[in-house]
Amino acid sequence: MTHASLLTKICGLSTPETLIAALDAGADMIGLVQFPPSPRHVDLGKAAELAALARGRASVVVLTVNPDDALIDAILKAVSPDFIQLHGKETVDRVAEVRRRIPVIKALGIATAEDVAAARAYDGAADYLLLDAKPPKDATRPGGLGQAFDWSLLDSFKVGTSVLLSGGLHPTNVAEAISRVRPEGVDVSSGVESAPGVKDKAKIEAFLINARAAAGSMR
């Protein structure tokens, strides 16, 4: 990996301008959302255009929620991503099934010690485990929705699979998160936005600079 072995992922990109800003600032992974209820959703045609801009400069991740085989087929055909990010209630068996076709990032919501225990079951099933804040019970979308969770819950979380930390990260707290949790990577979406779904180039740059500085100080 680059950048002092810390992976950086900017998720929910939806315009060429902000995608290129993330690439120019050195993001290792860019995330494209394939989930219509999200303000960051891009259709497969747009996702393919954005993926083409990133190809060779960063890994392309398509985020989807409880996809059936037909949607996986469509994503692979249209976008040809490097990873599928599963952000729903996919079982360990389903994650392993999808992974036989393409590398997988499995997102898991964390709010309690029970959630941490449940996440351990996915060790070895995915290429990366993305630990995110659990959405509130009345939420209409999965994911942390900009909220951080109690990082101390991860003090005893030791797995063989590489961990990406997400949920409520932004330019001013990412260094603390990295030093506290020591993940293999960090993932941000709403924390680098000026409005829901609207990425902010300056915030993207600041997030990546601060993340790399924190990783460098830990070498």
Side-chain angles (χ1 to χ4, degrees):
M1 296 178 200
T2 55
H3 311 327
S5 296
L6 180 85
L7 272 175
T8 52
K9 177 169 171 280
I10 308 293
C11 198
L13 292 157
S14 58
T15 68
E17 297 74 24
T18 53
L19 177 84
I20 289 165
L23 295 171
D24 288 348
D28 297 299
M29 294 177 158
I30 60 98
L32 307 172
V33 175
Q34 174 58 216
F35 185 60
S38 171
R40 299 162 192 89
H41 170 73
V42 289
D43 63 35
L44 289 178
K46 183 75 172 288
E49 291 171 18
L50 294 169
L53 290 174
R55 194 93 55 211
R57 297 186 65 188
S59 295
V60 174
V61 181
V62 173
L63 181 159
T64 183
V65 178
N66 301 318
D68 58 16
D69 287 344
L71 180 54
I72 296 278
D73 290 343
I75 290 169
L76 297 187
K77 183 178 178 184
V79 186
S80 191
D82 299 292
F83 294 88
I84 289 277
Q85 181 169 319
L86 298 174
H87 225 295
K89 299 186 186 305
E90 299 89 3
T91 64
V92 173
D93 287 347
R94 177 59 175 160
V95 171
E97 189 181 341
V98 174
R99 192 186 182 202
R100 284 194 279 274
R101 304 185 61 191
I102 183 170
V104 169
I105 298 170
K106 174 61 184 132
L108 297 158
I110 304 292
T112 66
E114 288 75 19
D115 296 327
V116 176
R120 282 198 186 91
Y122 289 84
D123 188 17
D127 296 88
Y128 292 94
L129 300 181
L130 186 145
L131 304 182
D132 198 358
K134 204 168 191 177
K137 284 194 165 43
D138 58 351
T140 56
R141 306 194 309 276
L145 310 182
Q147 299 301 307
F149 62 92
D150 178 1
W151 298 326
S152 71
L153 288 167
L154 301 181
D155 287 350
S156 62
F157 188 72
K158 300 288 183 283
V159 290
T161 308
S162 293
V163 169
L164 305 178
L165 182 66
S166 187
L169 299 183
H170 48 74
T172 52
N173 73 356
V174 66
E176 181 193 352
I178 290 165
S179 64
R180 183 76 180 74
V181 178
R182 295 180 174 257
E184 278 75 25
V186 288
D187 170 276
V188 67
S189 185
S190 61
V192 290
E193 291 180 345
S194 55
V198 182
K199 291 289 184 283
D200 182 299
K201 294 181 190 178
K203 288 182 180 180
I204 290 172
E205 190 169 324
F207 181 89
L208 293 170
I209 287 171
N210 293 347
R212 282 201 290 272
S217 70
M218 285 166 42
R219 275 184 295 185

